[in-house]
Amino acid sequence: ICPTQAFPAPYRLDARRCISYLTIEHKGPIPREFRAAMGNRIYGCDDCLAVCPWNKFAQTAAEAKLSARDDLRAPRLGELLVLDDAAFRALFSGSPVKRIGRDRFVRNVLIAAGNSGEAGLAAPCRNLLEDASPLVRGAAIWALSRLMKFGDFAKLVEERQRHEADAAVTEEWRMAVAERSVA
């Protein structure tokens, strides 16, 4: 059931492949090999918990504090892509999501946007190429490489790639161009 094959053998978990680890604990760029498999997950996964036989004994919690807030159920990616730090902190106040910080959260939203196939998300993703965080800029490149038409993306590469000073973000440009050239 695991989208990233984080269980290489029975009773063995490779946490480095786990979407919950990647979206919550991992501080760097999401490895390219797992991005498509993440789908629309932006904070955790728990598919393994859904199929775990031990969880047949679990009961739904009655504690209201453990229920998801209505304003955080199925948020729109476009709204999440425009969060600055203050808006992120306000939206996720009192939520465990707040602990990963705005940059990692937006990184995750960008991966989901790139997987969405929604061309309308390209505009907010493009705006994030100006973000102060290299982590966010790199994820924006990947998302745009999946959302934009080939010719439009090629023009964007010409405009933007040479202006990037961060080595990791420059590598994202290089890899995106290489992947688009093969596709």
Side-chain angles (χ1 to χ4, degrees):
I1 190 77
C2 180
T4 55
Q5 306 302 305
F7 293 92
Y11 309 106
R12 301 275 182 211
L13 170 67
D14 182 350
R16 297 166 299 178
R17 301 179 71 89
C18 174
I19 291 174
S20 288
Y21 164 76
L22 291 168
T23 59
I24 299 170
E25 303 300 333
H26 184 65
K27 293 180 179 169
I30 303 291
R32 298 182 87 75
E33 65 189 290
F34 305 127
R35 293 175 187 178
M38 285 175 57
N40 66 353
R41 295 169 183 89
I42 56 176
Y43 189 84
C45 172
D46 298 339
D47 284 358
C48 56
L49 296 178
V51 299
C52 178
W54 284 101
N55 283 338
K56 68 183 175 189
F57 304 111
Q59 297 176 6
T60 303
E63 179 63 44
K65 290 180 182 178
L66 297 177
S67 296
R69 294 186 344 220
D70 286 338
D71 63 332
L72 297 181
R73 292 182 197 267
R76 296 182 184 268
L77 294 176
E79 294 170 8
L80 299 176
L81 287 168
V82 298
L83 293 175
D84 61 13
D85 192 58
F88 169 81
R89 290 176 177 282
L91 179 61
F92 292 106
S93 177
S95 164
V97 174
K98 186 178 173 188
R99 91 174 170 84
I100 70 170
R102 180 259 180 195
D103 295 347
R104 283 193 281 168
F105 180 78
V106 172
R107 169 203 62 190
N108 299 343
V109 175
L110 284 159
I111 300 299
N115 286 326
S116 74
E118 292 182 36
L121 293 174
C125 291
R126 187 174 179 149
N127 291 339
L128 291 168
L129 292 174
E130 301 289 336
D131 198 85
S133 168
L135 184 64
V136 170
R137 292 194 311 274
I141 293 164
W142 185 84
L144 288 165
S145 75
R146 302 196 27 127
L147 294 172
M148 296 177 76
K149 293 178 183 175
F150 180 78
D152 294 337
F153 185 71
K155 287 179 194 173
L156 182 65
V157 171
E158 285 295 316
E159 293 170 15
R160 301 298 312 238
Q161 184 177 18
R162 66 180 169 266
H163 300 293
E164 181 58 56
D166 186 88
V169 180
T170 300
E171 180 64 9
E172 283 290 342
W173 280 116
R174 190 188 71 71
M175 293 299 294
V177 168
E179 287 175 357
R180 287 299 299 258
S181 297
V182 172

